[in-house]
Amino acid sequence: MNLIEMNSICKSYRNIGFETRVLKDVTLHIEEGDYISIMGPSGAGKSTLMAIMGCLSQPSSGEYLLDGEEVGQLNDRKLSRVRNEKIGFVFQAFHLLPGVTALENVILPLVYAKRPPGNIKERARELLAKVGMEHRLHHTPGQLSGGEQQRVTIARSLINDPRIILADEPTGNLDSKNGIETMKTFDNLVKEGKTIVLITHDLEVAQHAGRIVSIRDGQIASDSDHEERGSIHSL
Amino acid sequence: MKFFSSLGIAVKALLSHKTRTFLASLGVLIGIGSVIVMVAIGKGSQKEVMDVIAGMGENLITVNAGEMKRRGGRLRLTGNVTTLKIRDANRILEEIGEVERAAPFEEKRMTAKFGNNSAETTLAGSTADFSVIRGYSLQSGEYFSERDAKTANRVAIIGMTAVKNLFGEEDPLGQVVKVHFIPFKIIGVFEPKGVDTNGLDQDDLLLIPISTYMRRIVNQTHITRIFVQASSRKNIAKASEKIRELLRETHKLTDDRNDDFTLISQLDLEEMKLETTELFTKLIVGVAAISLLVGGIGILAVMLISVKERTREIGIRRAVGATRRDIICQFLYESLIIGFLGGGLGIVLGVGLTLGLTHWGHWTLILDPNSIWIASWACAGLGVLFGVFPAIKASKLDPMEALTIE
């Protein structure tokens, strides 16, 4: 069964009378445990696709089934719950709360959780240790380097044990050493059974994933999965 | 759990902007503080007026000759009516059960002389009951005797202002003052009593027996006023009604004629003065309401800035699972806390000022517990009212747009 099933998704913005179509009829299916990269030049619609996938934004038309649930039908409360429980976000700009310690940033999703687990702090500490940040628990984002902030973000994305990790240019703001570290973390997460969607324009990063989807002008230009299947069929 | 976490978030956010939080609550602080002080001033002045009215005499009913009309805020007699007589006073006392005392009264501004000193004063004629009804008490000396009244003796009791004007530091008792070339022997001195509701000095007075006054000063039989004391406060209205009936009868007024006298009771005076002080109270409450509104707008401005400044934070919270409601709660709690902080400090300020002014200043302020109660509700109301709009605005932001805003 597909964990993510997007059928004919369109998204357009209306700006001073002009309609900009960012996504045009995108159909994309992702299975549980998939490791997929979405590539494309800037302005192609990658981030918009991720926003819809992460329930941060609603499509203008089309059908999006997440874990068998039609997202377009959900109200704000249920949509927020989906974001809280099923999805972990890793952003290029980190998006940590300023002035709040690493530990509290990691705990943040549980503040909004319907049934938060018991030993919240212990769990947050473990996750920070997992990304090698056990020595920086009480530092605020301003006191951390970019690589460290990204690791805190990854720990935060994992705190509520989501099935999907959506990472938008996770290495975009990092030097190559930190970038490699980050990608290693993702590689390990796949082994733990998480479904990972990477948005990137860096081919080297994209190649960590088993499947690469290219987007151009709001449409899927190529999908390595289909090509393989296609080649299998052509054989 | 949810409530406390939202509250915690709000407190943290406010603590990280201490100056701004304080400035936002300053408007509410001043508003609430001024409401409490203003109401206390209003209550205090109301009590002062009531004290003055009570000081004019307990259960007092004044019978004035002629019709009385209000001009320039004061009651003035109109016309020259000669129907009110001393025997009216006697009949009121004798025939009406609810009346405790009645004293005929006549007065005139005249020049009194002592040695080389002369001063204008109020020469008043009445009986010894006058001082009881009007609440004058003797500082030294004695009242008129019945014999003084019968023989129209030239004796007088003097008020403190007249004492100062005529005698200076000298003891007036036993001295003789001349009014209209008639010598009066001072047999008593009144305790000072202060001003009445119209601001007239009640101590500028030379009281002589009414018989003496009528015979030696004016040579007339009609009087302008009778002071009546009802037997109790609740009998004032009944006594007034009976006095009216009695006077209409003795003055032979047929049904088609108006009263040729005017009754003013202590209750009437209180009512009149209350009208004035209530108007005053309404005025200050209005002013206070405006200052509270300004305080609320302060909250509104700060909250709008806060929402704008924290757009990205809202986006982050939404991305990790905060619902619209969570965001509304967070900002609403913030404005509520600002409201309560300002309100709490305002109550402290208002109560402090009230107590301070009463203690150290020469003000009569009465702290109204209701005003504190209402002030608490007002600041909660202000917090919600002026926080709702920014909070809803914050919650309506699209999470993705909020995240990408610069």
Side-chain angles (χ1 to χ4, degrees), chain A residues 13 47 50-51 55-57 76-77 80-81 83-84 89 91 93 95-97 104 108-113 116 156 168, chain B residues 1-2 5-6 9 12 312-327 330 398-401 403-404:
Chain A
Y13 293 103
S47 292
M50 192 201 85
C55 303
L56 291 171
S57 196
D76 175 66
R77 198 166 53 82
S80 301
R81 208 169 151 198
R83 284 197 296 268
N84 184 255
F89 290 96
F91 299 100
H95 289 324
L96 293 169
L97 287 186
E104 285 172 301
L108 187 66
L110 295 184
V111 169
Y112 299 108
R156 181 182 67 188
D168 187 6
Chain B
M1 168 71 196
K2 263 278 171 73
S5 59
S6 293
I9 292 165
K12 257 186 214 163
R312 239 166 58 122
E313 179 191 324
I314 295 165
I316 296 170
R317 289 185 187 278
R318 296 278 279 142
V320 301
T323 59
R324 287 215 172 102
R325 222 186 115 129
D326 290 329
I327 301 294
Q330 180 189 337
D398 182 71
M400 196 60 209
E401 281 173 44
L403 277 174
T404 48

Side-chain angles (χ1 to χ4, degrees), chain B residues 278-292:
Chain B
E278 257 165 31
L279 189 73
F280 178 63
T281 307
K282 275 179 195 155
L283 200 73
I284 53 181
V285 166
V287 171
I290 290 172
S291 63
L292 275 180

Side-chain angles (χ1 to χ4, degrees), chain A residues 1-13:
Chain A
M1 185 187 143
N2 290 320
L3 184 58
I4 289 172
E5 192 173 326
M6 297 177 116
N7 295 321
S8 309
I9 294 287
C10 294
K11 176 77 179 176
S12 49
Y13 293 103

